[in-house]
Amino acid sequence: KDEKIWLTLSFGMIMIFMLVTGYQTFALEMGPPSNMETIDPQKVDQTPPFDNPGIKQIGENEYEVVMTLQIFSFTPANIEVPAGSTVHFIMTSKDVTHGFQVAGTNLNAMVMPGHIQRITQKFDKAGEYLVLCNEYCGAGHQLMGTTITVK
Ligand code: CUA
């Protein structure tokens, strides 16, 4: 009789464990935390601020870059900012998941369709920073890159 109880108990434990693991996997695969802003990926061009992508000065040493990522480019491309600038990137994807990685910095973000990604970086050192997509996004993935020039 004891054996049956233990069998039932361990089976129950296994079930609970599987449910928890399953839920965690599910939650992780569901992507970003729910506090991330959403956007209709079909209507990026009509949705502010993405109806007007570009770079805008918002303070003495502060810039805002509204950027769309799409196969296989970054809009705007070839950004230029003065050395010492703090740059606030506001990004979304118009199609599939892309990556936004800036060589020589800690900038590394996933940019997903349907979500708005905000990330801030200060650029102290002058130079040309390579921007790369680091999420496989299709046949032209390797070609998806641009630069940020700090002068
Ligand atoms: Cu975009 Cu890889």
Side-chain angles (χ1 to χ4, degrees):
K1 205 144 199 225
D2 267 6
E3 255 174 43
K4 255 195 175 166
I5 291 167
W6 284 114
L7 265 175
T8 312
L9 267 177
S10 45
F11 182 71
M13 292 291 285
I14 289 166
M15 285 304 286
I16 289 166
F17 180 74
M18 277 170 61
L19 279 171
V20 169
T21 313
Y23 176 74
Q24 281 172 345
T25 309
F26 176 77
L28 281 174
E29 280 180 357
M30 287 319 282
S34 54
N35 61 4
M36 207 166 170
E37 297 159 87
T38 57
I39 180 171
D40 183 344
Q42 311 295 323
K43 294 187 179 149
V44 171
D45 287 332
Q46 294 97 282
T47 311
F50 300 103
D51 54 346
N52 188 20
I55 179 164
K56 191 169 84 183
Q57 186 165 11
I58 56 168
E60 200 181 335
N61 287 307
E62 218 164 345
Y63 292 82
E64 185 181 84
V65 173
V66 173
M67 182 181 266
T68 62
L69 283 74
Q70 57 275 310
I71 43 175
F72 298 100
S73 63
F74 298 84
T75 308
N78 306 318
I79 295 161
E80 281 187 21
V81 291
S85 298
T86 297
V87 183
H88 304 279
F89 295 91
I90 306 170
M91 302 180 283
T92 194
S93 167
K94 290 165 90 170
D95 38 48
V96 298
T97 298
H98 297 283
F100 178 80
Q101 183 170 20
V102 184
T105 71
N106 290 326
L107 270 183
N108 187 357
M110 237 192 201
V111 182
M112 285 163 287
H115 295 276
I116 298 174
Q117 178 70 270
R118 289 175 190 270
I119 194 162
T120 296
Q121 175 75 30
K122 190 162 187 250
F123 291 93
D124 283 319
K125 264 200 230 147
E128 191 164 282
Y129 294 76
L130 202 56
V131 181
L132 291 170
C133 174
N134 61 353
E135 288 287 329
Y136 182 75
C137 55
H141 162 71
Q142 282 85 353
L143 304 172
M144 187 167 167
T146 187
T147 57
I148 296 172
T149 305
V150 180
K151 308 192 284 191

